[in-house]
Amino acid sequence: MSKAPFLSRKGIVGAGLVLAALATVTAPLGLSALRRHYAVSMDPQWASCLPWSTFLVRYGPPASIRRGSLVLFHDKALDPTGYGGYPAVKYVAGVPGSVVRIEKHAVWIDGHFWGRMWLLPWMRMKHLEPLHPGTFVVPKGEYLLMGSTPGSYDGRYWGFVPKKNIYGLAWPL
């Protein structure tokens, strides 16, 4: 019988090395600095827009925002009442200069298929500015943030998010 990989000697030594490295990096900063800049965040939705529901989040404006990164942000469109302030984690799908093509049932970004376009009930909410069919370029200083599931409530339905509303990076746990 073979052992589970996480119980092997190699796995235990590897985990120990990771914890030692983390302790070495965080010890000089102190735990209060660690708590000020990092947190574990959970997605409370029963139907998540990403494959994960728990994230390590680093607070603070990212030095650079790249396509494919997971970012923590807030935008008034996230709140069904339109008042805003709810944080969320989404993929950066489009960066300034990206070419986005919206078709009747599909979204393409820089020539790559991103996902389906679903007619969701919140498309009719007055405070939303959905992306309408057509081809356009992501404006300077704004980002197109998307989930990875077909029914994700994301930039397909509320448009771009300004850089000032992105206030952290996230990694799935």
Coordinates of all heavy atoms in Angstrom, one line a residue, residues 44-127:
P44 N -19.0 34.0 0.4 CA -20.1 33.5 1.1 C -21.2 33.0 0.2 O -22.2 32.4 0.6 CB -20.6 34.6 1.9 CG -20.2 35.8 1.1 CD -18.9 35.5 0.5
Q45 N -21.1 33.2 -1.1 CA -22.1 32.8 -2.1 C -22.3 31.3 -2.2 O -21.3 30.5 -2.1 CB -21.8 33.3 -3.5 CG -21.6 34.8 -3.6 CD -21.2 35.2 -4.9 OE1 -22.1 35.5 -5.7 NE2 -19.9 35.2 -5.2
W46 N -23.5 30.8 -2.3 CA -23.7 29.4 -2.5 C -23.3 29.0 -3.9 O -22.9 27.8 -4.2 CB -25.1 29.0 -2.2 CG -26.1 29.6 -3.1 CD1 -26.8 30.8 -2.9 CD2 -26.6 29.1 -4.3 NE1 -27.6 31.0 -3.9 CE2 -27.6 30.0 -4.8 CE3 -26.4 27.9 -5.1 CZ2 -28.2 29.8 -6.0 CZ3 -27.1 27.7 -6.3 CH2 -28.0 28.7 -6.7
A47 N -23.4 29.8 -4.9 CA -22.9 29.6 -6.3 C -21.8 30.5 -6.6 O -22.0 31.7 -7.0 CB -24.1 29.7 -7.2
S48 N -20.6 30.1 -6.4 CA -19.4 31.0 -6.6 C -19.1 31.2 -8.1 O -19.4 30.4 -8.9 CB -18.2 30.3 -5.9 OG -17.1 31.2 -6.1
C49 N -18.5 32.3 -8.4 CA -18.1 32.6 -9.7 C -16.7 32.2 -10.1 O -16.2 32.3 -11.2 CB -18.3 34.1 -10.0 SG -17.2 35.1 -8.9
L50 N -16.0 31.6 -9.1 CA -14.7 31.1 -9.3 C -14.6 29.7 -8.7 O -15.5 29.3 -7.9 CB -13.6 31.9 -8.5 CG -13.5 33.4 -9.0 CD1 -12.7 34.2 -8.0 CD2 -12.9 33.4 -10.4
P51 N -13.6 28.9 -9.1 CA -13.6 27.5 -8.6 C -13.2 27.4 -7.1 O -13.3 26.3 -6.6 CB -12.5 26.8 -9.5 CG -12.0 27.8 -10.5 CD -12.6 29.2 -10.1
W52 N -12.8 28.4 -6.5 CA -12.4 28.4 -5.1 C -13.3 29.3 -4.3 O -13.9 30.3 -4.8 CB -11.0 28.9 -4.9 CG -10.1 28.3 -5.9 CD1 -9.5 27.1 -6.0 CD2 -9.7 29.0 -7.1 NE1 -8.8 27.0 -7.2 CE2 -8.9 28.2 -7.9 CE3 -9.9 30.3 -7.6 CZ2 -8.3 28.5 -9.1 CZ3 -9.4 30.7 -8.8 CH2 -8.6 29.8 -9.5
S53 N -13.4 29.1 -3.0 CA -14.2 30.0 -2.1 C -13.4 30.6 -1.0 O -13.9 31.4 -0.3 CB -15.4 29.2 -1.6 OG -15.0 28.1 -0.8
T54 N -12.1 30.2 -0.9 CA -11.3 30.7 0.2 C -10.0 31.2 -0.5 O -9.4 30.6 -1.3 CB -10.9 29.6 1.2 OG1 -12.1 29.0 1.7 CG2 -10.2 30.2 2.4
F55 N -9.6 32.4 0.0 CA -8.4 33.1 -0.6 C -7.5 33.7 0.5 O -8.0 34.1 1.5 CB -8.9 34.3 -1.5 CG -9.8 33.9 -2.6 CD1 -11.2 33.9 -2.3 CD2 -9.4 33.5 -3.8 CE1 -12.1 33.5 -3.3 CE2 -10.3 33.1 -4.8 CZ -11.6 33.1 -4.6
L56 N -6.2 33.8 0.1 CA -5.3 34.6 0.9 C -5.3 35.9 0.2 O -5.1 36.0 -1.0 CB -3.9 34.0 0.9 CG -2.8 34.9 1.5 CD1 -3.1 35.1 3.0 CD2 -1.4 34.3 1.3
V57 N -5.5 37.0 0.9 CA -5.6 38.3 0.3 C -4.5 39.2 0.9 O -4.3 39.2 2.1 CB -7.0 39.0 0.6 CG1 -7.1 40.4 0.1 CG2 -8.1 38.1 0.1
R58 N -3.8 39.9 0.0 CA -2.8 41.0 0.4 C -3.5 42.3 0.1 O -3.7 42.7 -1.1 CB -1.5 40.8 -0.4 CG -0.5 41.8 0.1 CD 0.8 41.7 -0.5 NE 0.7 42.0 -1.9 CZ 1.5 41.6 -2.9 NH1 2.5 40.8 -2.6 NH2 1.3 42.0 -4.1
Y59 N -3.7 43.1 1.1 CA -4.3 44.4 1.0 C -3.3 45.4 0.5 O -2.1 45.4 0.8 CB -4.9 44.9 2.3 CG -6.0 44.0 2.8 CD1 -5.9 43.1 3.8 CD2 -7.3 44.1 2.1 CE1 -7.0 42.3 4.2 CE2 -8.3 43.3 2.5 CZ -8.2 42.4 3.6 OH -9.2 41.7 3.9
G60 N -3.8 46.4 -0.2 CA -2.9 47.5 -0.7 C -3.0 47.5 -2.2 O -3.2 46.5 -2.8
P61 N -2.9 48.7 -2.8 CA -3.0 48.8 -4.3 C -1.9 48.0 -4.9 O -0.7 48.2 -4.5 CB -2.8 50.3 -4.5 CG -3.1 51.0 -3.2 CD -2.7 50.0 -2.2
P62 N -2.2 47.1 -5.8 CA -1.1 46.3 -6.5 C -0.2 47.2 -7.3 O -0.6 48.2 -7.9 CB -1.9 45.4 -7.4 CG -3.3 45.4 -6.9 CD -3.5 46.7 -6.3
A63 N 1.1 46.9 -7.2 CA 2.1 47.6 -8.0 C 1.8 47.5 -9.5 O 1.9 48.4 -10.3 CB 3.5 47.2 -7.7
S64 N 1.5 46.3 -9.9 CA 1.1 46.0 -11.3 C -0.1 45.1 -11.3 O -0.2 44.2 -10.5 CB 2.2 45.4 -12.1 OG 2.6 44.1 -11.7
I65 N -1.0 45.3 -12.3 CA -2.2 44.4 -12.4 C -2.1 43.7 -13.8 O -2.0 44.4 -14.8 CB -3.4 45.3 -12.3 CG1 -3.5 46.0 -11.0 CG2 -4.7 44.4 -12.5 CD1 -4.6 47.0 -10.8
R66 N -2.0 42.4 -13.8 CA -1.8 41.7 -15.0 C -3.0 40.8 -15.3 O -3.7 40.4 -14.4 CB -0.5 40.7 -14.8 CG 0.7 41.5 -14.6 CD 1.9 40.6 -14.6 NE 3.0 41.3 -14.1 CZ 3.8 40.8 -13.1 NH1 3.5 39.7 -12.5 NH2 4.8 41.6 -12.6
R67 N -3.2 40.5 -16.6 CA -4.2 39.6 -17.0 C -4.0 38.3 -16.3 O -2.9 37.8 -16.3 CB -4.2 39.5 -18.5 CG -5.3 38.6 -19.0 CD -5.4 38.5 -20.5 NE -5.4 39.8 -21.1 CZ -4.6 40.2 -22.1 NH1 -3.7 39.4 -22.6 NH2 -4.7 41.5 -22.5
G68 N -5.1 37.7 -15.8 CA -5.0 36.4 -15.2 C -4.8 36.5 -13.7 O -5.0 35.5 -13.0
S69 N -4.5 37.7 -13.1 CA -4.4 37.8 -11.7 C -5.7 37.8 -11.0 O -6.7 38.2 -11.7 CB -3.7 39.1 -11.3 OG -2.4 39.2 -11.8
L70 N -5.8 37.4 -9.8 CA -7.0 37.5 -9.0 C -6.9 38.8 -8.2 O -5.8 39.0 -7.5 CB -7.2 36.3 -8.1 CG -7.6 35.0 -8.8 CD1 -7.4 33.8 -7.8 CD2 -9.0 35.1 -9.3
V71 N -7.9 39.7 -8.2 CA -7.8 40.9 -7.5 C -9.0 41.1 -6.5 O -10.1 40.5 -6.8 CB -7.7 42.1 -8.4 CG1 -6.4 42.1 -9.2 CG2 -8.9 42.2 -9.3
L72 N -8.7 41.8 -5.5 CA -9.8 42.2 -4.5 C -10.2 43.6 -4.9 O -9.4 44.5 -5.1 CB -9.3 42.1 -3.1 CG -10.2 42.5 -2.0 CD1 -11.3 41.4 -1.8 CD2 -9.5 42.7 -0.7
F73 N -11.5 43.8 -5.0 CA -12.0 45.1 -5.4 C -13.4 45.4 -4.9 O -14.0 44.5 -4.3 CB -12.0 45.2 -7.0 CG -13.1 44.4 -7.6 CD1 -14.3 45.0 -8.1 CD2 -13.0 43.1 -7.7 CE1 -15.3 44.3 -8.6 CE2 -14.0 42.3 -8.2 CZ -15.2 42.9 -8.7
H74 N -13.8 46.6 -5.0 CA -15.2 46.9 -4.7 C -15.8 47.8 -5.8 O -15.0 48.5 -6.5 CB -15.3 47.6 -3.4 CG -14.7 49.0 -3.3 ND1 -15.3 50.1 -3.7 CD2 -13.4 49.4 -3.0 CE1 -14.5 51.2 -3.6 NE2 -13.3 50.7 -3.2
D75 N -17.0 47.8 -6.0 CA -17.7 48.6 -7.0 C -19.2 48.6 -6.7 O -19.7 47.7 -6.2 CB -17.5 48.0 -8.4 CG -17.8 49.0 -9.5 OD1 -18.9 49.1 -9.9 OD2 -16.8 49.7 -9.9
K76 N -19.8 49.8 -7.0 CA -21.2 49.9 -6.7 C -22.1 48.9 -7.4 O -23.1 48.5 -6.9 CB -21.7 51.3 -7.0 CG -21.8 51.6 -8.5 CD -22.3 53.0 -8.7 CE -22.5 53.3 -10.2 NZ -23.1 54.5 -10.5
A77 N -21.6 48.4 -8.5 CA -22.4 47.4 -9.3 C -22.5 46.1 -8.6 O -23.4 45.3 -8.9 CB -21.8 47.2 -10.7
L78 N -21.6 45.8 -7.6 CA -21.7 44.5 -6.9 C -22.9 44.5 -5.9 O -23.3 43.4 -5.6 CB -20.4 44.3 -6.1 CG -19.2 44.0 -6.9 CD1 -18.0 44.0 -5.9 CD2 -19.3 42.7 -7.6
D79 N -23.4 45.7 -5.6 CA -24.5 45.7 -4.6 C -25.8 45.9 -5.4 O -26.0 46.8 -6.2 CB -24.2 47.0 -3.8 CG -25.3 47.2 -2.7 OD1 -26.3 46.4 -2.7 OD2 -25.2 48.1 -1.9
P80 N -26.7 45.0 -5.2 CA -28.0 45.0 -5.9 C -28.8 46.3 -5.7 O -29.6 46.7 -6.5 CB -28.8 43.8 -5.4 CG -27.8 42.9 -4.9 CD -26.6 43.8 -4.4
T81 N -28.5 47.0 -4.6 CA -29.1 48.3 -4.3 C -28.5 49.5 -5.0 O -29.0 50.5 -5.1 CB -29.2 48.6 -2.8 OG1 -27.8 48.8 -2.4 CG2 -29.8 47.5 -2.0
G82 N -27.2 49.2 -5.5 CA -26.5 50.3 -6.2 C -25.7 51.2 -5.3 O -25.1 52.2 -5.8
Y83 N -25.6 50.9 -4.0 CA -24.9 51.8 -3.1 C -23.4 51.4 -3.0 O -22.6 52.3 -2.8 CB -25.5 51.9 -1.7 CG -26.9 52.5 -1.8 CD1 -28.0 51.7 -1.6 CD2 -27.0 53.9 -2.0 CE1 -29.3 52.3 -1.7 CE2 -28.3 54.5 -2.0 CZ -29.4 53.7 -1.9 OH -30.6 54.3 -1.9
G84 N -23.1 50.2 -3.2 CA -21.7 49.7 -3.3 C -21.0 49.5 -2.0 O -21.5 49.6 -0.9
G85 N -19.7 49.1 -2.2 CA -18.9 48.9 -1.0 C -18.6 47.4 -0.7 O -17.7 47.1 0.1
Y86 N -19.3 46.5 -1.4 CA -19.1 45.1 -1.1 C -17.8 44.6 -1.8 O -17.6 44.8 -3.0 CB -20.2 44.2 -1.6 CG -21.5 44.4 -0.8 CD1 -22.6 45.0 -1.4 CD2 -21.6 44.0 0.5 CE1 -23.7 45.2 -0.6 CE2 -22.7 44.2 1.2 CZ -23.8 44.8 0.7 OH -24.9 45.0 1.4
P87 N -16.8 44.0 -1.1 CA -15.6 43.5 -1.7 C -15.9 42.2 -2.5 O -16.8 41.5 -2.1 CB -14.7 43.3 -0.6 CG -15.5 43.0 0.6 CD -16.8 43.8 0.4
A88 N -15.1 42.0 -3.5 CA -15.2 40.7 -4.3 C -13.8 40.4 -4.8 O -13.0 41.3 -5.0 CB -16.2 40.9 -5.4
V89 N -13.7 39.1 -5.2 CA -12.5 38.7 -5.9 C -12.9 38.2 -7.3 O -13.8 37.4 -7.4 CB -11.8 37.5 -5.1 CG1 -10.6 36.9 -5.9 CG2 -11.3 38.0 -3.8
K90 N -12.2 38.7 -8.3 CA -12.4 38.3 -9.7 C -11.1 38.2 -10.4 O -10.1 38.7 -10.0 CB -13.3 39.3 -10.5 CG -14.6 39.5 -9.9 CD -15.6 38.4 -10.3 CE -17.0 38.8 -9.8 NZ -17.9 37.7 -9.6
Y91 N -11.1 37.5 -11.6 CA -9.9 37.5 -12.5 C -9.8 38.8 -13.2 O -10.8 39.4 -13.6 CB -10.1 36.4 -13.6 CG -9.8 35.0 -13.1 CD1 -10.7 34.0 -13.1 CD2 -8.4 34.6 -12.9 CE1 -10.4 32.7 -12.7 CE2 -8.1 33.4 -12.5 CZ -9.1 32.4 -12.5 OH -8.8 31.1 -12.1
V92 N -8.6 39.2 -13.5 CA -8.4 40.3 -14.4 C -8.4 39.7 -15.8 O -7.5 38.9 -16.2 CB -7.0 41.0 -14.2 CG1 -6.8 42.1 -15.2 CG2 -7.0 41.6 -12.8
A93 N -9.5 40.0 -16.6 CA -9.6 39.4 -17.9 C -9.1 40.3 -19.0 O -8.6 39.9 -20.0 CB -11.1 39.0 -18.1
G94 N -9.4 41.6 -18.7 CA -9.0 42.7 -19.7 C -8.2 43.8 -19.0 O -8.7 44.3 -18.0
V95 N -7.1 44.1 -19.6 CA -6.3 45.3 -19.1 C -6.4 46.4 -20.0 O -6.9 46.2 -21.2 CB -4.8 44.8 -18.9 CG1 -4.7 43.7 -17.8 CG2 -4.2 44.4 -20.2
P96 N -6.0 47.6 -19.7 CA -6.0 48.7 -20.6 C -5.4 48.4 -21.9 O -4.3 47.8 -22.0 CB -5.3 49.9 -19.9 CG -5.4 49.5 -18.4 CD -5.4 48.1 -18.4
G97 N -6.2 48.6 -23.0 CA -5.7 48.3 -24.4 C -6.2 46.9 -24.9 O -6.1 46.7 -26.1
S98 N -6.7 46.1 -24.0 CA -7.3 44.8 -24.5 C -8.5 45.0 -25.4 O -9.3 45.9 -25.1 CB -7.7 43.9 -23.3 OG -6.6 43.5 -22.5
V99 N -8.6 44.2 -26.4 CA -9.7 44.3 -27.3 C -10.8 43.3 -26.9 O -10.5 42.1 -26.8 CB -9.3 44.0 -28.8 CG1 -10.5 44.0 -29.7 CG2 -8.3 45.0 -29.2
V100 N -12.0 43.8 -26.6 CA -13.1 42.9 -26.1 C -14.1 42.9 -27.2 O -14.5 43.9 -27.7 CB -13.7 43.5 -24.8 CG1 -14.8 42.6 -24.3 CG2 -12.6 43.6 -23.7
R101 N -14.6 41.7 -27.5 CA -15.7 41.5 -28.5 C -16.8 40.8 -27.8 O -16.7 39.6 -27.3 CB -15.2 40.7 -29.7 CG -16.2 40.7 -30.8 CD -15.7 40.1 -32.1 NE -15.9 38.6 -32.1 CZ -15.0 37.7 -32.3 NH1 -13.8 38.1 -32.6 NH2 -15.3 36.4 -32.2
I102 N -18.0 41.4 -27.7 CA -19.2 40.8 -27.1 C -20.1 40.4 -28.3 O -20.4 41.2 -29.1 CB -19.9 41.8 -26.2 CG1 -19.0 42.4 -25.2 CG2 -21.1 41.2 -25.6 CD1 -18.6 41.5 -24.1
E103 N -20.4 39.2 -28.3 CA -21.4 38.7 -29.3 C -22.7 38.3 -28.5 O -22.7 38.4 -27.3 CB -20.8 37.4 -30.0 CG -19.6 37.7 -30.8 CD -19.0 36.5 -31.4 OE1 -19.4 35.3 -31.0 OE2 -18.0 36.6 -32.2
K104 N -23.7 37.9 -29.3 CA -25.0 37.6 -28.7 C -24.8 36.6 -27.5 O -25.5 36.8 -26.4 CB -25.9 37.0 -29.7 CG -27.3 36.8 -29.2 CD -28.2 36.3 -30.2 CE -29.6 36.0 -29.7 NZ -30.5 35.5 -30.7
H105 N -24.0 35.6 -27.6 CA -23.9 34.6 -26.5 C -22.5 34.3 -26.1 O -22.2 33.3 -25.4 CB -24.6 33.3 -26.9 CG -26.0 33.4 -27.1 ND1 -26.9 33.7 -26.1 CD2 -26.8 33.4 -28.2 CE1 -28.1 33.8 -26.6 NE2 -28.1 33.6 -27.9
A106 N -21.5 35.2 -26.4 CA -20.1 34.9 -26.1 C -19.3 36.2 -25.9 O -19.6 37.2 -26.4 CB -19.5 34.1 -27.2
V107 N -18.2 36.0 -25.1 CA -17.3 37.1 -24.8 C -15.9 36.6 -25.3 O -15.4 35.5 -25.0 CB -17.2 37.4 -23.3 CG1 -16.2 38.5 -23.0 CG2 -18.6 37.8 -22.8
W108 N -15.2 37.5 -26.1 CA -13.9 37.2 -26.6 C -13.0 38.4 -26.1 O -13.4 39.5 -26.2 CB -13.9 37.2 -28.1 CG -14.7 36.1 -28.7 CD1 -16.1 36.1 -28.9 CD2 -14.3 34.8 -29.1 NE1 -16.5 34.9 -29.4 CE2 -15.4 34.1 -29.6 CE3 -13.0 34.2 -29.2 CZ2 -15.3 32.8 -30.1 CZ3 -12.9 32.9 -29.7 CH2 -14.1 32.2 -30.1
I109 N -11.8 38.0 -25.6 CA -10.8 39.0 -25.1 C -9.5 38.8 -25.8 O -8.9 37.7 -25.7 CB -10.7 39.0 -23.6 CG1 -12.1 39.3 -23.0 CG2 -9.7 40.1 -23.2 CD1 -12.1 39.0 -21.5
D110 N -9.1 39.8 -26.6 CA -7.8 39.7 -27.4 C -7.8 38.4 -28.2 O -6.8 37.7 -28.3 CB -6.6 39.7 -26.5 CG -6.4 41.1 -25.9 OD1 -6.8 42.1 -26.5 OD2 -5.8 41.2 -24.8
G111 N -9.0 38.1 -28.8 CA -9.1 37.0 -29.7 C -9.3 35.6 -29.1 O -9.4 34.6 -29.7
H112 N -9.3 35.6 -27.7 CA -9.5 34.3 -27.0 C -10.9 34.3 -26.4 O -11.3 35.2 -25.8 CB -8.4 34.2 -25.9 CG -7.0 34.2 -26.4 ND1 -6.5 33.1 -27.0 CD2 -6.1 35.2 -26.4 CE1 -5.2 33.4 -27.4 NE2 -5.0 34.7 -27.0
F113 N -11.5 33.1 -26.5 CA -12.9 32.9 -26.0 C -12.8 33.0 -24.4 O -12.0 32.3 -23.8 CB -13.4 31.6 -26.4 CG -14.8 31.2 -25.8 CD1 -15.9 31.9 -26.3 CD2 -14.9 30.3 -24.8 CE1 -17.2 31.6 -25.7 CE2 -16.1 30.0 -24.3 CZ -17.3 30.6 -24.7
W114 N -13.6 33.8 -23.8 CA -13.6 33.9 -22.4 C -14.7 33.1 -21.8 O -14.6 32.4 -20.8 CB -13.6 35.4 -21.9 CG -13.6 35.4 -20.4 CD1 -14.7 35.4 -19.5 CD2 -12.5 35.3 -19.5 NE1 -14.3 35.3 -18.2 CE2 -12.9 35.3 -18.2 CE3 -11.1 35.2 -19.8 CZ2 -12.0 35.2 -17.1 CZ3 -10.2 35.1 -18.7 CH2 -10.7 35.1 -17.4
G115 N -15.9 33.3 -22.3 CA -17.1 32.6 -21.7 C -18.4 33.0 -22.4 O -18.4 33.9 -23.3
R116 N -19.4 32.4 -22.0 CA -20.8 32.7 -22.5 C -21.4 33.9 -21.9 O -21.0 34.3 -20.8 CB -21.7 31.5 -22.2 CG -21.1 30.2 -22.7 CD -22.0 29.4 -23.6 NE -23.2 29.9 -24.1 CZ -24.3 29.2 -24.2 NH1 -24.4 28.0 -23.8 NH2 -25.4 29.8 -24.7
M117 N -22.3 34.5 -22.6 CA -23.0 35.7 -22.2 C -24.4 35.2 -21.9 O -25.1 34.7 -22.7 CB -23.0 36.7 -23.3 CG -23.5 38.0 -23.0 SD -22.3 38.9 -22.1 CE -23.1 40.5 -21.9
W118 N -24.8 35.2 -20.6 CA -26.1 34.8 -20.2 C -27.0 36.0 -19.9 O -26.5 37.0 -19.4 CB -25.9 33.9 -18.9 CG -25.2 32.7 -19.1 CD1 -23.8 32.5 -19.1 CD2 -25.7 31.4 -19.5 NE1 -23.5 31.2 -19.3 CE2 -24.7 30.5 -19.6 CE3 -27.0 30.9 -19.7 CZ2 -24.8 29.2 -20.0 CZ3 -27.2 29.6 -20.1 CH2 -26.1 28.8 -20.2
L119 N -28.2 35.8 -20.1 CA -29.2 36.9 -19.8 C -29.6 36.6 -18.3 O -30.5 35.9 -18.1 CB -30.4 36.8 -20.7 CG -30.0 37.2 -22.2 CD1 -31.2 37.0 -23.1 CD2 -29.5 38.6 -22.3
L120 N -29.0 37.3 -17.4 CA -29.3 37.2 -16.0 C -30.3 38.2 -15.6 O -30.4 39.3 -16.2 CB -28.0 37.3 -15.2 CG -26.9 36.3 -15.5 CD1 -25.6 36.6 -14.8 CD2 -27.4 34.9 -15.2
P121 N -31.0 37.9 -14.5 CA -32.1 38.8 -14.0 C -31.5 40.2 -13.7 O -32.2 41.2 -13.9 CB -32.6 38.2 -12.8 CG -32.1 36.8 -12.8 CD -31.0 36.7 -13.7
W122 N -30.3 40.3 -13.2 CA -29.8 41.6 -12.8 C -29.4 42.5 -14.0 O -29.0 43.7 -13.8 CB -28.6 41.5 -11.9 CG -27.6 40.5 -12.2 CD1 -26.7 40.5 -13.2 CD2 -27.3 39.3 -11.5 NE1 -25.9 39.4 -13.2 CE2 -26.3 38.6 -12.2 CE3 -27.9 38.7 -10.4 CZ2 -25.8 37.4 -11.7 CZ3 -27.4 37.5 -10.0 CH2 -26.4 36.9 -10.6
M123 N -29.5 42.0 -15.2 CA -29.3 42.8 -16.4 C -30.2 44.0 -16.4 O -29.9 45.0 -17.0 CB -29.4 42.0 -17.7 CG -28.3 41.1 -17.9 SD -26.8 41.9 -18.5 CE -27.4 42.5 -20.1
R124 N -31.4 43.9 -15.8 CA -32.4 45.0 -15.9 C -32.2 46.0 -14.7 O -33.0 47.0 -14.7 CB -33.8 44.4 -15.8 CG -34.1 43.7 -17.2 CD -35.3 43.0 -17.1 NE -34.9 41.6 -16.7 CZ -35.6 40.7 -16.2 NH1 -36.9 40.9 -16.0 NH2 -35.2 39.5 -15.9
M125 N -31.3 45.8 -13.8 CA -31.1 46.8 -12.7 C -30.6 48.1 -13.3 O -29.6 48.1 -14.1 CB -30.2 46.2 -11.7 CG -30.9 45.1 -10.9 SD -29.8 44.6 -9.6 CE -30.8 43.3 -8.9
K126 N -31.2 49.2 -12.8 CA -30.9 50.5 -13.4 C -29.4 51.0 -13.2 O -28.9 51.8 -14.0 CB -31.9 51.5 -12.8 CG -33.3 51.3 -13.3 CD -34.2 52.4 -12.8 CE -35.6 52.0 -13.3 NZ -36.6 53.0 -12.8
H127 N -28.8 50.6 -12.1 CA -27.5 51.1 -11.8 C -26.4 50.3 -12.6 O -25.2 50.7 -12.5 CB -27.2 51.1 -10.3 CG -27.0 49.7 -9.8 ND1 -28.0 48.8 -9.5 CD2 -25.9 49.0 -9.4 CE1 -27.6 47.7 -9.0 NE2 -26.3 47.8 -9.0

